[in-house]
Every structure is written in C-alpha cells, then in structure tokens.
Amino acid sequence: MSPAFRAMDVESRTKGILLEPFVHQVGGHSCVLRFNETTLCKPLVPREHQFYETLPAEMRKFTPQYKGVVSVRFEEDEDRNLCLIAYPLKGDHGTVDSVDNSDCEPKSKLLRWTNKKHHVLETEKTPKDWVRQHWKEEKVKSHKLEEEFEWLKKSEVLYYSVEKKGNVSSQLKHYNPWSMKCHQQQLQRMKENVKHRNQYKFILLENLTSRYEVPCVLDLKMGTRQHGDDASEEKAANQIRKCQQSTSAVIGVRVCGMQVYQAGSGQLMFMNKYHGRKLSVQGFKEALFQFFHNGRYLRRELLGPVLKKLAELKAVLERQESYRFYSSSLLVIYDGKEWPEVALDSDAEDLEDLSEESADESAGAYAYKPIGTSSVDVRMIDFAHTTCRLYGEDSVVHEGQDAGYIFGLQSLIDIVTEISEESGE
C-alpha cells in the first residue's frame, strides 16, 4: 500500500472522499465522477471490470489506466445535502494502491449537491461567477432559472459565452449540461434505492482530461452495431434503429458528444448525442471540422497526430482475435488553450515578450501563426458490452476482428484526411 493511501485510509473510514461531478463528460449515460485531480470513477459493470483487468498489453495505451475499485455510498448531512462518498473496499486496499489521494479532502470541505437545487454546484469558496450571480436570487427568479437550466439540458447544441478575463479553465466547471444531467440521474437512482441498497462498487480510471487546461472533448460512438449479445429483442431493435437512422450504419461512427472552446468568440460549444444521431455524413464531417476549429483558424497541427494515433489503434485492433467492442466510444481530446501568436517574420527574441493580448490587438496587420503545439489524445472507453472468447462464460463466441469498429476507424481516418487536405496541409 502506498504511503499516500495509508495516510488517507484512517481518515476515509470516518469521512470518506466526496465525489464531484466530472464536468468534462460529454456523452454516455453512466455517471462519471471525479475522485481526485487525476482519477475518475464510474459504476462498476462486471463486463467492463473484466475487460480492464484482462485487456491485452498493446491496447493499454489506447484505454484509460485502470486503478482499482472503491465502495460508494449515498449520504445526506444535517442540511440535507445529497452526496456520493467513496470508501476503500473493506479488506481489499491493494486495488487502489496506484491512486494518489494527496489532493483529496474530507467531504465537509468539498462540493455539495442540495435537495432544493440539484442543478447548483456549491462550494465554500465559490467564485463570483455565473452560478452565484444567478442562483442566490429570490425564489421567483430562481424558479425561472431552473426552467432555463432544464431547457439547456434539452438543447442539442449549446453555445455559452465565457468572459475573456480570468481563468477560462476555472469557469468551465459549471457549464456542461450533459455532465450535470448524468450526475442528477445517478443521485436520483441511488436515492430511490437507498432503503434497499446503499453500497455500490465503482471502478477507478485515469482522468484523461487532467493534463489539459481547457479540454476539448469529442465522444464518438464506434461500430456499425451497438447492442451486446445479451441484449433483449427490444433493446437490440432499438439500437439497430439508432444505427440505421444515423451515420453509424453508413460509416461506422457517429457523434455522441462534444465540448469545444472557441477562442475566437470566447464561447464554449456543447453538442449532445441527440444532435449527433441526426447528422448526415456531410454533417458529421462538418462537426469534426468544427471540433478542430477554434473560431479563428483550424488547429491543423492536431490533424497529423490524430491520424497517426488512429492508424496505430486500427493496427492494434486488427490483431485482436474475437473481441467485439459493442457500444464502445472513442475519445479525442486536446487543449483548447489559446497559444500566443507572432508575425511569421518575427525574430526569436520577440517570442518572449509577446503576450496573447498584444497579438490580438495587432491582428490583421501581419500574417500570424500559433506558437507551440498541443498534444492530442485518442482513447477507447466504455466496455460494458465488450465480449471476447477469453471471457469463457459468453454464450456467443465471435471469430476474427471487430470489423464494424475497424470500419468506423477507417472512415474516421478518411474524413480527417479529407479535412487536412482541403485545409491546404
């Protein structure tokens, strides 16, 4: 057991770790929660748990790091705050040895969700931002804003203006309607079952967005088939219909969610899965273009690395025998933080003193290019319906490659290549 976990273990038995909403969740229906800065957790599904514990070594670079299992309980305090609290599994501390808990705090010091305002994130040191300005008003105004938030959750494409002053990354934490919706649903499910069950197992996974200041996230549902082998006839028919009515049937991939920071307008753009299902192939291509565009120029420096990672993943999956990744998603993540810009003919010494503001003020006078590069990440997630002959107990055993998933990857490679060529690269 790591020293950090030993130190936390005594305290956690009495106080636990309060789980926060993971504000960069843009797709899926399972609630993803923030355990600490570098670690997320989500409800344990036996099949997904089995996948992470047995996945081939060459696939690990394309999946989040698996960090173990914790026990999660639903709790209320004296103020009727609704909380999800994580505790170490009794007698099984070894599964979380790899988790750095140094930034975890007792639940009394962390974020709360209240019964009265499920949609409001409250902390002891909440900045004077949009949340405080609006939600602490009188009941009538609060009621109107509740209706507005409900509307925002239903909006398929949402633009939210972020003030250019201040830290953009700190402002991001309140404005993702999809993550709010998933968190509310998880709380409600656990609240309804609290009389019968109040202890759940959650798996711990790497937070893929933690190294980015302003994460731009694209969630793509991969493959031509989404239902698992164990799906009921009704479930299978429903999933088949969704595939047939979306780009999944045509190109093997569809947009499941998107979060993009557009530096040009200072706006955050959110796109949910309902809009993604409606896109044509051309609409899908336009959505991809929008994901890599910051409102002023296309982030061309990201396209090459994305294509390289997609090709590597395709080669890895072509070597996997019997795997089927039904209903799995592929995440593409990069940093939306705006890099400083300088004139193309600037001297090297000019780079040190040129600020982002000065570049903006003189925009149009010279030809500009971004300085520095931003790494991009490509990872597979969501394996609740994954199957493989190695699992043993499955009634259906598949042979060969997951042709539907690989087809979707190739389509994605082709479209990103088209965007790159058409942009003049």
Side-chain angles (χ1 to χ4, degrees):
M1 185 186 302
S2 67
F5 189 76
R6 283 198 192 94
M8 188 276 292
D9 186 38
V10 176
E11 180 181 33
S12 66
R13 287 185 177 276
T14 57
K15 296 184 177 180
I17 300 300
L18 180 60
L19 302 176
E20 304 180 20
F22 174 55
V23 297
H24 302 304
Q25 179 180 359
V26 299
H29 56 82
S30 179
C31 178
V32 180
L33 301 166
R34 180 187 182 278
F35 182 83
N36 63 23
E37 184 66 28
T38 60
T39 307
L40 304 177
C41 64
K42 61 184 293 191
L44 184 150
V45 176
R47 176 50 50 92
E48 182 167 46
H49 187 213
Q50 184 176 26
F51 170 81
Y52 277 113
E53 290 200 322
T54 62
L55 84 162
E58 63 177 343
M59 286 188 63
R60 289 175 186 164
K61 66 180 293 186
F62 293 106
T63 61
Q65 179 188 358
Y66 166 70
K67 299 186 177 185
V69 182
V70 290
S71 176
V72 174
R73 293 177 55 187
F74 171 92
E75 297 182 10
E76 293 186 3
D77 63 14
E78 64 277 6
D79 298 320
R80 300 194 68 199
N81 289 315
L82 308 182
C83 308
L84 293 180
I85 313 298
Y87 298 91
L89 287 179
K90 293 182 178 179
D92 189 22
H93 303 305
T95 59
V96 286
D97 279 353
S98 61
V99 182
D100 178 9
N101 296 283
S102 58
D103 69 340
C104 291
E105 298 184 58
K107 62 186 180 182
S108 61
K109 295 182 181 179
L110 293 177
L111 173 149
R112 304 289 184 88
W113 282 72
T114 69
N115 268 325
K116 296 180 180 180
K117 298 178 181 178
H118 283 205
H119 49 273
V120 184
L121 290 174
E122 296 178 342
T123 63
E124 290 184 359
K125 297 182 180 179
T126 305
K128 294 181 179 180
D129 54 14
W130 185 85
V131 175
R132 172 163 293 185
Q133 293 170 13
H134 290 76
W135 294 114
K136 71 175 184 178
E137 302 297 332
E138 65 275 8
K139 291 183 179 180
V140 174
K141 187 173 182 180
S142 178
H143 178 69
K144 290 180 180 179
L145 286 168
E146 286 184 28
E147 293 178 347
E148 178 183 352
F149 186 80
E150 289 301 316
W151 176 81
L152 291 179
K153 287 194 300 182
K154 295 176 182 178
S155 299
E156 295 180 357
V157 179
L158 170 66
Y159 289 85
Y160 182 81
S161 294
V162 178
E163 292 185 9
K164 292 186 178 180
K165 294 182 179 180
N167 189 337
V168 175
S169 60
S170 68
Q171 298 179 57
L172 280 173
K173 69 180 298 182
H174 298 294
Y175 303 122
N176 190 328
W178 192 262
S179 64
M180 304 282 193
K181 177 179 179 180
C182 291
H183 192 97
Q184 289 176 9
Q185 291 175 339
Q186 182 69 33
L187 282 174
Q188 188 60 34
R189 283 193 297 266
M190 295 180 73
K191 182 180 179 182
E192 291 173 353
N193 294 329
V194 70
K195 292 183 179 179
H196 308 287
R197 179 188 180 193
N198 191 23
Q199 186 165 324
Y200 299 80
K201 288 184 179 180
F202 278 52
I203 60 173
L204 298 172
L205 298 171
E206 174 188 5
N207 178 4
L208 300 173
T209 68
S210 62
R211 62 194 179 100
Y212 300 109
E213 184 167 338
V214 186
C216 293
V217 184
L218 176 65
D219 187 322
L220 298 170
K221 186 69 71 173
M222 301 299 297
T224 54
R225 167 181 161 175
Q226 302 303 322
H227 62 281
D229 292 322
D230 59 345
S232 65
E233 290 186 10
E234 180 181 1
K235 177 71 172 179
N238 186 42
Q239 294 290 356
I240 291 172
R241 176 181 55 80
K242 291 177 183 177
C243 288
Q244 291 176 339
Q245 295 177 351
S246 70
T247 55
S248 292
V250 183
I251 58 175
V253 55
R254 70 173 184 257
V255 174
C256 193
M258 185 190 300
Q259 170 181 299
V260 184
Y261 176 62
Q262 299 181 314
S265 60
Q267 288 184 321
L268 290 170
M269 190 278 281
F270 301 104
M271 180 184 296
N272 68 25
K273 65 180 182 181
Y274 302 111
H275 185 77
R277 289 178 193 167
K278 298 177 182 178
L279 296 175
S280 63
V281 174
Q282 180 60 31
F284 177 88
K285 180 179 177 180
E286 292 171 357
L288 242 61
F289 181 89
Q290 186 174 25
F291 176 67
F292 291 112
H293 200 285
N294 70 357
R296 295 193 296 187
Y297 52 83
L298 185 69
R299 297 287 299 273
R300 295 185 181 90
E301 79 277 10
L302 300 173
L303 302 182
V306 166
L307 287 171
K308 181 179 179 181
K309 289 179 181 293
L310 291 175
E312 290 177 355
L313 174 58
K314 180 172 176 283
V316 168
L317 293 187
E318 287 173 341
R319 293 192 291 269
Q320 305 311 311
E321 185 73 19
S322 182
Y323 273 99
R324 295 296 182 273
F325 303 99
Y326 298 134
S327 199
S328 179
S329 285
L330 189 70
L331 290 185
V332 182
I333 312 171
Y334 71 88
D335 201 333
K337 179 182 178 181
E338 192 173 5
W339 292 94
E341 297 181 342
V342 297
L344 290 173
D345 58 351
S346 295
D347 295 330
E349 301 85 50
D350 296 335
L351 303 184
E352 297 180 4
D353 301 323
L354 185 64
S355 67
E356 182 177 327
E357 290 74 19
S358 64
D360 288 340
E361 291 172 358
S362 51
Y366 303 94
Y368 288 90
K369 65 177 180 179
I371 296 302
T373 58
S374 174
S375 61
V376 61
D377 207 354
V378 174
R379 304 287 186 105
M380 300 173 69
I381 61 167
D382 297 340
F383 304 101
H385 301 287
T386 293
T387 181
C388 176
R389 67 185 179 193
L390 300 177
Y391 295 167
E393 71 277 12
D394 291 350
S395 58
V396 180
V397 177
H398 300 274
E399 299 295 334
Q401 308 166 344
D402 188 338
Y405 197 111
I406 293 172
F407 173 61
L409 277 177
Q410 185 58 56
S411 297
L412 194 55
I413 290 171
D414 293 341
I415 292 173
V416 175
T417 299
E418 289 178 12
I419 293 173
S420 178
E421 292 175 348
E422 291 171 2
S423 67
E425 188 171 83

